Every structure is written in C-alpha cells, then in structure tokens.
Amino acid sequence: MTEPVITPQKQAILDAAQGLFARHGYEGLSIRDLAAECGLAKATIYHHFRDKQDIFMNVLERDAGCVHAQIMAAAKREPDPLSKLRVVVHTYCGLISERRSIVLTTLREVTGMEDKLRRFAMMNKQVFLGPLAAIVQQGIDEGVFRPVDTEMSALSLLGMLHGFVTFQLIAQDREIGSDVADHVLSLFLHGICVRDSQ
Amino acid sequence: MTEPVITPQKQAILDAAQGLFARHGYEGLSIRDLAAECGLAKATIYHHFRDKQDIFMNVLERDAGCVHAQIMAAAKREPDPLSKLRVVVHTYCGLISERRSIVLTTLREVTGMEDKLRRFAMMNKQVFLGPLAAIVQQGIDEGVFRPVDTEMSALSLLGMLHGFVTFQLIAQDREIGSDVADHVLSLFLHGICVRDSQ
Amino acid sequence: MTEPVITPQKQAILDAAQGLFARHGYEGLSIRDLAAECGLAKATIYHHFRDKQDIFMNVLERDAGCVHAQIMAAAKREPDPLSKLRVVVHTYCGLISERRSIVLTTLREVTGMEDKLRRFAMMNKQVFLGPLAAIVQQGIDEGVFRPVDTEMSALSLLGMLHGFVTFQLIAQDREIGSDVADHVLSLFLHGICVRDSQ
Amino acid sequence: MTEPVITPQKQAILDAAQGLFARHGYEGLSIRDLAAECGLAKATIYHHFRDKQDIFMNVLERDAGCVHAQIMAAAKREPDPLSKLRVVVHTYCGLISERRSIVLTTLREVTGMEDKLRRFAMMNKQVFLGPLAAIVQQGIDEGVFRPVDTEMSALSLLGMLHGFVTFQLIAQDREIGSDVADHVLSLFLHGICVRDSQ
DNA sequence: GATGAATGAGTATTCATTCAT
DNA sequence: AATGAATGAATACTCATTCAT
C-alpha cells in the first residue's frame, strides 16, 4: 500500500515531460525547458525525481499502463478476433494522435540509452506488442487467420501505424484519423493482391 | 559545371559520419567524435563542411542517391509488379542490415530539426517512398493489386520494415534477413485473413 | 541559566555530523547526507541549527570540550612533566584513532572558511595546544627541559602526531597505536642525535 | 621524445591552479575561478586538460619534480647527514612559504579522492619522504644518529614542519622563516630533554 | 518538532563553432 | 589543406537554505 505515491505535482511534471519527450525525444528534452514548462525551478524537478532517467521511466510506466488499460478494455468488448483487431487499431490511432503517447513514439531512440533504461523500454514495449500478438493467436486458433508468426505479425501491424506517425511528425500535414486505421487494417487483413494466387 | 565536387577527403568524413549518424542519431553525433574517427582536427571538418547540418544533408543526399539507384535497378530487372515488389523489399532489407542506411534509420528524429533540414529530409524520403508507390500503382493498373491508396500503401510497407529495424535496434537480438522480408511481403500482399470474406 | 541546552535530538545530529565531518571534511559534508544519516528531513536539521557553520561549531565545541577534559584529567594524574607528556601523547593517539576527533583532523581545512569560523577554530585549537605548552613550560621551570619556545614546541609535537594521522588517512594501512606515540615522544624528548654535541 | 609536452599556455593554467589548490584545496578550486584567474573561458581549460583530476595530477607532478630536484640538489652539496638535514629542512621551509607547494600542503585532503588520484598522490609523497629517510639512514650508518625507524622519523620531521604550515594557514600571522626551520631541526636532532637520562 | 516543496546560485563538463596561423 | 586555441551557451545535476504548514 505504500507504493510510490505519485502526487499531483509529480503528475504535472510528468505531463509536461510526456509532451516534451514526444516532441523532442529523450536527448532533446532539457531539464531547463521542462522546468520552465512547469513553471518550476530546475532544482525543484530534482526534488521530485532522482534524475532524467527517473523522469523518463515514470512517464513511460504511466503511459504504458494507460495504453495497456485502454487496449485491453477495447479488446474485451469484442468477441471475435477480427472485431478486436479493428477496435484495437482504432484505439492505437486515437492514442497516438490525441495524447502523443511516448510509449508509441519515443521508443525509436532508446538505442543509445544505457542498458538499464533500454531493458525497461523493452519491457514496456511488450505492453502493446503482447495484446496484439494474443489477438492474432486467437484468430489463428479459431481458423480465421492464416498460421503466421504472431510476434512478427504484431510487430508488422505496429510498424505500419508507426510509419504514419513518423510521417506525420516529419510532414506535420497529415492528421492521423480513422482513414489511416482503416487503411492499415485493411492491408493487414487482406493484403493488396486481388486474390490469393501464388 | 562547378557542381560541388566531393573530394576524397570529404568522402572519408561522410563515411565516418554516416556510421555515427546511424548509430547515435543526429543529436548523438558530436563533431569531436567525428573528427577523432576521421583522424582529423575538429576545425578541419569545418574546412570541408559549413556546419553539422551541412554534413547531415550531404550524407543524406549521398545515401539517398545510392538507395534510389539500387532500388531502381532492382525494380527494372523485373517486369511484373509482384516480382518488383519482392525484389525491392529484399533490397531494402539488405540496405538496412548491411549498410545501416541513414536515409532509412535516422529520419525518425528529424522532428526537432529546423525547418530547412526537415524539408530536405522530407524530400529525400520521397526517394524511397516514390518507387514503391509507383510499383503499387503499376500493379493496380495491371489489375494485380486492389485499388488502394498508393502512397499510404507504400508508407505502410515501409513502416512494417521499419518496425523490425526499430525492434532490432532496441533488442539487438534479431538479425534482419530474408525471413523478415518474406514475412513482410507476404503480409503486405495477402494479409492474414484466411480468405477475402468481408 | 538559559544556556543553549543541547537536547538529545541535537546530540544525535551532532554525532552523525562528527563522523561525516571527520570522514569527508567540512565542504564534503552535505546537509542532505547528514539528514539521511539521522533519518530526518533536511529542514529538520535547520530547525535545530542555524546553518552548516553552526553545526560545525557545535561539533567542534563539544569535541574540544571532551578532548580538553581527557587531556587535563590525564595530565593531572601525573606529577612530573615527563610522565605528563607521555600520558598526554598517548591520550591524543587514542582520541585520534578511536573517536576520529574532528578537532584533531578537520582543522586542516579551515583555510577557506569565513573569518568567524576560522577564528572559532583557532580558539578551539588552543584547547589542545595550550595544555601541551603548559607541560613544556613546567618542564623548563623544573629544569628538566631545555629552554625552548613552548608554543612552537607544542606545535611541533602535535605536528608529528598529525603527520601520522594524515599518512594513515592517505595510506589507510597503518594503525595509529602505542608504537607511534612512543616513537613521537622519544624523538620529541631526545631527538635523533647520538649525543648533545653540535 | 614525444613526451606530453607542456606548452606555455598549459604552464600558465597550472601556475594559476597551483595557487588556488594550495589556498582552497582540491574541492575548493572551481574551474570557473581557475578560468577567471587565467583570463580564459571555462571551455578553454578543457581544451588543455581532460578534467579537474588531470589538472591536479599535472600540478602535483610538476611540483613534485621541482621539489624533488631542489631537495636533492641541496642534499648533494653537503657531505655529512647533519648538514644535509639542516639544508634540506631550510629548503622545505623556503618552498612552503615562497611557492606554497601543493605537494606539501594539499595532500592533506586526498582522503576523499577516488582511488586513482589517491594512489597518485601517495606516489608523489614518496618524492619528499624518501630523501629525508635516506639522510636519516646515512646518519645512522655513520653512527651520528640513533638507530631509529627511518620512515617514521622522516614522517615526524615533515609532520613538525606541516604543523607550522597548517598553523600559519589558520592564523595567517606567522611567517614561516629560518627560525621555524631552526627550531624544528633542533627539536628533531636533540629533543627537549636537558640530558639523556631515562 | 517536524517536514515537503521550492529555489538561486553553484558544480564539472560538453557542445558546435570561429579564427589566426 | 589543415589545425591549435579559444569561446558562449548549453548540458545534467547538487548545494545550503527558506517557508508555509
């Protein structure tokens, strides 16, 4: 019960950090800017968090929990894997464009991070890779999907979505909306071939 | 005719820079490290290039040209869009895992860059998004592919591949090889549904 | 009558501070660490003491009183200056190695301190320089010692002892024990020359 | 021959650093102050030296070499150990009061330093402990000195001198001159007892 | 008595860049 | 063509201290 309680002040810092991490990446967020964004002194940030990694990990954890909860809730509402997939993909799209989830965006640059941080990031990745793989597996079991590699498939689906995120971040001219979700889903489910020859 | 001649020394710097950009990202490359890698003094770098952006742009341009050439050559060898797609996807995979092409990897972090740089990055993106879209368009024209949005489809395909790159960069335990190319291609072409119901 | 009462809580803080000052020096002790060592919040330290100087001065005063008392008691037990010196030197050695007295160890770095603090430190220095000088004076009066400068002699004797303390702190391989006391005393009393020619 | 050449600029920085280290100790020297003292920007300091430790080690090394050379030269001029000792002690006193040698003053606070730095400091300490011990040994061999522990004796002698240094640093009212050297030497050689009774 | 929150000034160090040679 | 020297601005982080509760 004495879990590390996250006070409102901490939440406010995490909120600001989430946006900055999503916009500028891990290295790109400077404590000075974060403090300014919060209207606090730099030192105050360090009163609440041990260091930059600590902030990132907390943002990651909080966001992962949120994403996971929404995904699971969405999947639960639908019985068959096809509907589940549809709902989950739309949920992802919503999370990405609305909240700029860092779990979904900042992970690209964990490369250079220290081991501890990278392992933590990996762990959190499972949070949204796992549910997708599970749905694919269910579909295979029920004979609805082809017997593909579940993990690779989940990764592919996420990759498609990320493609649009990255593109949007670069171009800043394309809103990620339902059409994207539909397109990705359609491609993932049926491919682009006219029929299953070959 | 007085095109910016790229001397051997410049090439050597670009070679070193390409590797460092790919490994550490744009912010992560420090001129100091680059100079050390080249066995040159920091100031000498600035004798050959205006600034860091200039280096990045040159690397990007050179790499884009190279990627473009290989993609086009590969596509040219095959007549039908299906084979073209297969060959092009395998080429991409090869470029990513062999040469760690920065066009394909570093673009994720152009977000925070200044406008000029971002526009330039966008332009280069077309280099490998364009050919893919063209192939998809050809397939649609020939009645082999469904009438999907060509640009979105190309983006989706690239996204899938990038998913694996990112994953590999994070996990560092999965080599990107032919199986990945085959999987991505199979999914892109036929989806995961057993048949085209619904 | 309203002398600055030193409550048990204050004593606990001073105990912790004494150890930290002795180990890390004046600058090296951080209030944060001190608070952690006491199991108190940083602000609580300031509830009991005005500032860092105040803490240092209190530790110094308390320790000086203790050292002084022990030295005086030891000296009192012996009648002749030679025995007094022997007993006092052994007492010093004991204090240094057992309690890591800060009066004897931290004083080296009062250099950079503000005037007030430095003057206070000086004053406390007299606490253990004075008794030694007195003993030497007594010895001279009784014709046992040569008519040397008493203060310089006391300082020399202490310097010898400090030499071993410093050396031990650096090397951390030599325990300060009776042999050191005997050696220092022997040198101080008879020098190293075979006989008093010159 | 390609020894790390110490350029004039480096020398200037080391000169400034030597004074600051001697006055404020290792922790007490701030790069900002050092840069200001040199009339350079902070970053320029780092152009010449890797970090603060590097600066300290260079100062230490240079100073140790200088002290060693002067001591050895002084000792060489005199044939008998007694004269040697006299000359060497006076040399030490001169070095301390004139140049504020850090080898002789800053070493007190290597306690908290990292291992590498502490070992280095220890090594340098031998530079001026060794020659003294050698002279004492020579005296013992020639039957001029009593058969004392040479290292402990050398340490004691240095300790006495340091006692005055510390005292002077604290009090800032006593110049270290010939009288101090004479006093210390006299005490070291003959002790304070009237005769060798006991 | 005690403390969580907050802070301004400080720490060592790194950055991309310039310039005289 | 090349570089050693120099720098202003930035980096993450720590300091002793204050104050409202």
Side-chain angles (χ1 to χ4, degrees), chain D residues 57-176:
Chain D
M57 281 167 144
N58 269 279
V59 173
L60 217 55
E61 203 165 31
R62 194 184 68 157
D63 190 48
C66 171
V67 169
H68 187 71
Q70 288 200 246
I71 296 297
M72 296 307 274
K76 213 174 202 172
R77 279 197 299 275
E78 307 291 327
D80 64 301
L82 239 149
S83 318
K84 274 188 184 173
L85 223 46
R86 183 170 304 122
V87 152
V88 165
V89 166
H90 276 95
T91 305
Y92 269 131
C93 280
L95 288 170
I96 288 170
S97 60
E98 278 170 36
R99 298 203 322 112
R100 223 15 94 93
S101 160
I102 56 146
V103 174
L104 295 165
T105 54
T106 322
L107 279 183
R108 355 160 221 153
E109 48 166 307
V110 290
T111 315
M113 293 176 179
E114 294 159 35
D115 253 40
K116 187 188 160 196
L117 194 48
R118 203 169 65 232
R119 259 194 294 277
F120 185 80
M122 273 299 294
M123 205 187 70
N124 279 87
K125 179 146 202 172
Q126 293 304 335
V127 157
F128 52 90
L129 209 52
L132 271 182
I135 294 172
V136 173
Q137 183 61 53
Q138 184 193 347
I140 294 170
D141 293 343
E142 296 182 7
V144 188
F145 296 156
R146 295 193 291 125
V148 291
D149 180 320
T150 55
E151 200 187 274
M152 282 178 94
S153 299
L155 196 49
S156 299
L157 179 53
L158 272 177
M160 288 201 224
L161 285 170
H162 275 231
F164 286 100
V165 176
T166 305
F167 198 77
Q168 177 214 28
L169 287 175
I170 296 178
Q172 293 180 324
D173 64 346
R174 180 190 284 275
E175 189 60 21
I176 293 191

Side-chain angles (χ1 to χ4, degrees), chain A residues 12 20-21 87 101 118 134 143-144 147 159 179:
Chain A
L20 291 173
F21 274 133
V87 150
S101 161
R118 202 171 64 232
V144 187
D179 56 331

